[in-house]
């Protein structure tokens, strides 16, 4: 039971560490969030030493750009409608001057070479313009809620450990109370066996009668 309590304590410590890491960890590198009206640049982070055959950009599986060496860049009607361009200073990067809700989605840069095909994925999320008052309220709520949740988890872990320790102590006390009775019972059995082996017979008790005789 003691080993189980230690194991449970280690698991709860690991769980709390993971929770704290998840709460305060930054977002993944291929996820990008922008406010409405702000610019966004999506890089094609693929390094290849082989000869480029073709490069394509897709938005939600819809082709928006296609490029081949020594050929002109193909720009789809969807890219024109959304006003999405490819950067000349940053190789193969998508540039959106002022993002809107319609730009939200999954973007994939796919490069084809003689060695095979490689791709880079982005997820673009568009948020509304933040109001200073609402932003401050959200920060205050987050600052209050996160510590409270962590404290509740810690309290639950301590309660479980306390109950396990208490149950272990009760089991130990019950075991210590039962041991003397078992020892006394075993000693009585051993004495009976020894008496039988030596042929010892316990004399019958006798009493003296009122008339002066001995009565068995």
């Amino acid at each position: 039971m003691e080993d189980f309590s230690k194991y449970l304590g280690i698991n709860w410590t690991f769980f709390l560490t993971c929770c704290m890491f998840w709460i305060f960890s930054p977002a993944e590198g291929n996820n990008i969030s922008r406010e409405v009206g702000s610019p966004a640049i999506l890089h094609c982070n693929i390094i290849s030493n082989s000869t480029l055959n073709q490069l394509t950009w897709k938005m939600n599986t819809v082709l928006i750009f296609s490029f081949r060496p020594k050929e002109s860049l193909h720009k789809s009607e969807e890219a024109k409608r959304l006003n999405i361009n490819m950067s000349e200073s940053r190789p193969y990067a998508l540039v959106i001057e002022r993002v809107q809700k319609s730009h939200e989605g999954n973007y994939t840069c796919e490069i084809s070479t003689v060695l095979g095909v490689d791709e880079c994925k982005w997820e673009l999320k568009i948020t509304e313009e933040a109001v200073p008052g609402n932003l401050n309220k959200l920060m205050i709520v987050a600052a209050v809620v996160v510590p409270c949740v962590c404290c509740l988890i810690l309290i639950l872990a301590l309660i479980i450990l306390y109950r396990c320790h208490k149950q272990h102590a009760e089991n130990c006390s019950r075991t210590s109370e039962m041991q003397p009775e078992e020892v006394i019972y075993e000693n009585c059995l051993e004495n009976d066996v020894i008496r039988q082996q030596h042929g010892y017979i316990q004399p019958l008790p006798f009493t003296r009668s009122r008339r002066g005789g001995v009565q068995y």
Side-chain angles (χ1 to χ4, degrees), residues 191-200:
N191 292 335
D192 292 340
V193 172
I194 293 173
R195 289 173 181 174
Q196 292 178 3
Q197 290 178 352
H198 290 79
Y200 176 76

Side-chain angles (χ1 to χ4, degrees), residues 7 34 38 43 46 57 63 72 80 82-83 86-87 90 93 107 140 142 144 159-160 176 183 199-200 206 208 211:
Y7 174 77
R34 291 290 183 269
S38 62
H43 297 277
I46 299 176
W57 269 103
L63 182 66
S72 60
K80 295 177 182 178
L82 296 174
N83 195 20
M86 282 191 67
S87 174
R90 301 178 180 87
Y107 293 80
I140 293 173
V144 173
I159 291 174
I160 293 175
S176 61
V183 172
Y200 176 76
F206 62 91
R208 184 178 298 274
R211 297 179 180 179

Side-chain angles (χ1 to χ4, degrees), residues 18-164:
C18 291
C19 287
M20 296 298 294
F21 179 78
W22 177 77
I23 291 172
F24 295 104
S25 62
E28 295 182 3
N30 288 344
N31 293 340
I32 183 173
S33 179
R34 291 290 183 269
E35 294 180 4
V36 173
S38 62
I41 299 176
L42 307 180
H43 297 277
C44 189
N45 298 324
I46 299 176
I47 300 176
S48 178
N49 296 325
S50 57
T51 304
L52 175 66
N53 291 334
Q54 184 179 7
L55 180 141
T56 59
W57 269 103
K58 296 179 181 179
M59 176 185 177
N60 298 327
T61 69
V62 177
L63 182 66
I64 54 177
F65 284 101
S66 178
F67 171 75
R68 288 177 178 271
K70 299 180 181 180
E71 293 184 9
S72 60
L73 177 66
H74 172 71
K75 185 176 182 179
S76 68
E77 294 297 327
E78 184 71 9
K80 295 177 182 178
R81 183 181 68 84
L82 296 174
N83 195 20
I84 302 176
N85 301 303
M86 282 191 67
S87 174
E88 296 180 358
S89 59
R90 301 178 180 87
Y92 316 136
L94 281 187
V95 178
I96 306 174
E97 297 295 338
R98 294 176 60 86
V99 297
Q100 304 296 327
K101 292 294 290 184
S102 57
H103 292 116
E104 190 172 61
N106 297 312
Y107 293 80
T108 303
C109 174
E110 187 176 281
I111 290 182
S112 176
T113 64
V114 293
L115 298 178
V117 179
D118 201 356
E119 63 181 19
C120 176
K121 294 184 178 181
W122 288 87
E123 182 180 359
L124 178 61
K125 297 181 180 180
I126 309 301
T127 60
E128 299 293 339
E129 294 183 3
V131 180
N134 294 336
L135 182 61
N136 292 333
K137 291 180 181 179
L138 290 175
M139 292 179 64
I140 293 173
V141 171
V144 173
V145 171
V146 171
C148 290
V149 172
C150 294
C151 290
L152 288 176
I153 294 174
L154 181 61
I155 291 172
L156 289 175
L158 293 176
I159 291 174
I160 293 175
L161 290 176
Y162 172 74
R163 289 184 177 179
C164 292

